[in-house]
Amino acid sequence: SHAREFASSAWYIFEPNLPQCQNAIRAEQAQVDADRARLQDPQNEVPKSQVDRLYLPITAKLGADKTNRGDSYPDYHRLFKGGVKQDKLVIGLVFGMIDHDDHGGPSGDFNWGELMTALDLVMESQGDFEQVPGPDQVDLSHFTLPSGRVVESPSFADLVRLETGGSSLGLSYQETRELEKQFADRIYKKWVTVEKPVRVKVGDEAPREFGIQIMFYFGAGSSSAPHKFATKNSDIFIYNGHSSIGYGPLDPRNFTAADFPSSYQILWMDGCVSYNYYHKDYIPLKEGGTKNLDLVTNGLEAPAWRGGTANGKFLVSLLSGSASYRDLLLAARDTEAMRVVDGELDNEYSPARAETRVVIESR
């Protein structure tokens, strides 16, 4: 059914191993060859069938692995020094709408559950986060349900777990769904910021107070505004949503150098075949290039299902302050998508170097 939905997009459903695809490729090539044979000036002319061809022949060659130097790592010693904010590690999550139809508001969209799952996994590992002031002031302290029941000062974890399960608010099934809908409606297309205090030691410095901050935005569509805000104001930016075939709001041509901070960043574009569109074109926009930017993209379509699980596990692993990129990509294998990291070859962190070692203690 998925393939039939995209039957008009040959690139999306192309499967050259099928006999009918092979027949179509051979038939098109035979027509191009026949038309070329009839050209009067083949050095300066091409037949229309070649201009309009659907299948483009390519030659691929596998070369030696010249850049593999063993495990590579994010530059944790820089992330946990504070980048876009002093004494904070800021994680920006932008989740786009996935469904093509309205299913009763934001909480009815498939990706709503994926965002809640990602947040829940981080809190299971790190402990509860509390809402702090952010770019949008969203009141999550008071809700009145249609039954008249009032929910006062719910914890952020309880609001997230309305979707994922385990909320301690003691609500009925109907009340849970009603509160979840209000929660989703209230934060839809707004930035919500939550934080967890920790203590961090980098190298031989004394332990210091530090904050892990998550800014998240649900409901991204065609506007570049939330993506630009995230790239400018996050140390780690994860986008989960449609890739928009490279022409959407994440198109690097929509961005300038002013949309990126000068500090070190990790960007993960978690969409359909994001490697095709986003794996290198941000690098020239970033001050310092690969020295200050690591990109994670995928060469295959990453399914929406369990996307939040992959994002959450990636963050849990990253917040250990010691996982290699291999570990991080394996942590995200719930949506296996042939992922690749670009920009990490000049990173300096090594668990063997005492001056870059990071120790994180919960508070």
Side-chain angles (χ1 to χ4, degrees), residues 158-165 167 169 171 176-177 179-180:
D158 274 332
L159 291 174
V160 167
R161 289 166 185 157
L162 295 168
E163 168 65 27
T164 62
S167 176
L169 295 175
L171 303 176
T176 298
R177 299 285 74 82
L179 180 55
E180 182 183 5

Side-chain angles (χ1 to χ4, degrees), residues 102-115:
D102 181 17
H103 293 297
S107 62
D109 186 86
F110 185 86
N111 228 21
W112 169 256
E114 299 304 318
L115 172 59

Side-chain angles (χ1 to χ4, degrees), residues 83-135:
V84 294
K85 290 184 180 179
Q86 185 175 359
D87 293 325
K88 309 279 187 198
L89 171 60
V90 182
I91 300 166
L93 301 180
V94 175
F95 274 55
M97 305 293 278
I98 290 294
D99 296 340
H100 298 290
D101 302 307
D102 181 17
H103 293 297
S107 62
D109 186 86
F110 185 86
N111 228 21
W112 169 256
E114 299 304 318
L115 172 59
M116 295 299 105
T117 296
L119 293 170
D120 193 13
L121 285 169
V122 174
M123 287 190 289
E124 281 184 6
S125 169
Q126 297 291 319
D128 291 355
F129 282 62
E130 293 187 1
Q131 187 181 9
V132 296

Side-chain angles (χ1 to χ4, degrees), residues 202-224:
V202 177
D204 59 0
E205 69 175 19
R208 56 194 164 77
E209 303 303 312
F210 197 76
I212 297 172
Q213 195 171 94
I214 300 176
M215 303 187 307
F216 64 93
Y217 182 100
F218 180 72
S222 60
S223 171
S224 293

Side-chain angles (χ1 to χ4, degrees), residues 283-320:
I283 292 173
L285 300 172
K286 177 74 175 180
E287 181 181 334
T290 59
K291 188 70 177 175
N292 289 326
L293 181 63
D294 297 346
L295 288 169
V296 182
T297 51
N298 43 288
L300 299 174
E301 177 189 359
W305 184 66
R306 294 185 70 80
T309 303
N311 301 153
K313 288 182 176 179
F314 179 94
L315 287 174
V316 168
S317 187
L318 187 141
L319 290 174
S320 70

Side-chain angles (χ1 to χ4, degrees), residues 18-328:
L18 294 176
Q20 55 266 44
C21 278
Q22 294 178 15
N23 292 339
I25 292 168
R26 283 193 290 267
E28 182 180 73
Q29 188 62 55
Q31 183 66 55
V32 170
D33 292 343
D35 291 344
R36 283 190 61 81
R38 290 192 289 270
L39 293 175
Q40 303 264 331
D41 184 7
Q43 294 300 315
N44 298 293
E45 297 174 343
V46 293
K48 188 172 187 301
S49 59
Q50 184 171 351
V51 174
D52 295 338
R53 73 182 305 156
L54 179 62
Y55 304 103
L56 302 178
I58 65 169
T59 300
K61 177 183 177 182
L62 295 179
D65 183 358
K66 296 180 179 179
T67 62
N68 189 348
R69 302 168 188 160
D71 282 343
S72 59
Y73 295 80
D75 268 346
Y76 290 110
H77 61 301
R78 301 173 71 189
L79 289 175
F80 286 94
K81 282 279 191 178
V84 294
K85 290 184 180 179
Q86 185 175 359
D87 293 325
K88 309 279 187 198
L89 171 60
V90 182
I91 300 166
L93 301 180
V94 175
F95 274 55
M97 305 293 278
I98 290 294
D99 296 340
H100 298 290
D101 302 307
D102 181 17
H103 293 297
S107 62
D109 186 86
F110 185 86
N111 228 21
W112 169 256
E114 299 304 318
L115 172 59
M116 295 299 105
T117 296
L119 293 170
D120 193 13
L121 285 169
V122 174
M123 287 190 289
E124 281 184 6
S125 169
Q126 297 291 319
D128 291 355
F129 282 62
E130 293 187 1
Q131 187 181 9
V132 296
D136 295 317
Q137 300 307 309
V138 184
D139 183 8
L140 300 177
S141 66
H142 179 95
F143 297 86
T144 302
L145 305 182
S147 64
R149 180 168 180 173
V150 175
V151 179
E152 290 280 5
S153 303
S155 70
F156 178 68
D158 274 332
L159 291 174
V160 167
R161 289 166 185 157
L162 295 168
E163 168 65 27
T164 62
S167 176
S168 65
L169 295 175
L171 303 176
S172 67
Y173 175 82
Q174 184 62 31
E175 290 171 332
T176 298
R177 299 285 74 82
E178 290 168 351
L179 180 55
E180 182 183 5
K181 185 178 187 309
Q182 286 192 31
F183 173 44
D185 290 345
R186 200 170 291 186
I187 70 173
Y188 179 58
K189 293 193 173 182
K190 290 185 173 64
W191 285 101
V192 177
T193 308
V194 295
E195 188 171 317
K196 163 78 175 177
V198 294
R199 187 171 283 107
V200 167
K201 181 179 185 297
V202 177
D204 59 0
E205 69 175 19
R208 56 194 164 77
E209 303 303 312
F210 197 76
I212 297 172
Q213 195 171 94
I214 300 176
M215 303 187 307
F216 64 93
Y217 182 100
F218 180 72
S222 60
S223 171
S224 293
H227 309 287
K228 288 188 174 187
F229 184 86
T231 57
K232 183 70 173 179
N233 296 283
S234 304
D235 302 306
I236 301 162
F237 168 40
I238 297 178
Y239 167 71
N240 178 311
H242 293 295
S243 68
S244 303
I245 321 179
Y247 293 102
L250 279 167
D251 188 335
R253 291 173 296 184
N254 295 333
F255 291 74
T256 70
D259 294 313
F260 296 84
S262 59
S263 54
Y264 171 67
Q265 287 181 296
I266 299 172
L267 273 59
W268 177 11
M269 308 307 173
D270 190 17
C272 291
V273 203
S274 58
Y275 179 85
N276 286 14
Y277 321 120
Y278 308 124
H279 83 291
K280 63 179 182 179
D281 290 339
Y282 293 117
I283 292 173
L285 300 172
K286 177 74 175 180
E287 181 181 334
T290 59
K291 188 70 177 175
N292 289 326
L293 181 63
D294 297 346
L295 288 169
V296 182
T297 51
N298 43 288
L300 299 174
E301 177 189 359
W305 184 66
R306 294 185 70 80
T309 303
N311 301 153
K313 288 182 176 179
F314 179 94
L315 287 174
V316 168
S317 187
L318 187 141
L319 290 174
S320 70
S322 60
S324 70
Y325 267 123
R326 176 181 173 82
D327 295 331
L328 292 167

Side-chain angles (χ1 to χ4, degrees), residues 322-339:
S322 60
S324 70
Y325 267 123
R326 176 181 173 82
D327 295 331
L328 292 167
L329 297 188
L330 285 173
R333 64 183 176 270
D334 285 85
T335 53
E336 199 74 62
M338 201 167 73
R339 292 191 174 92

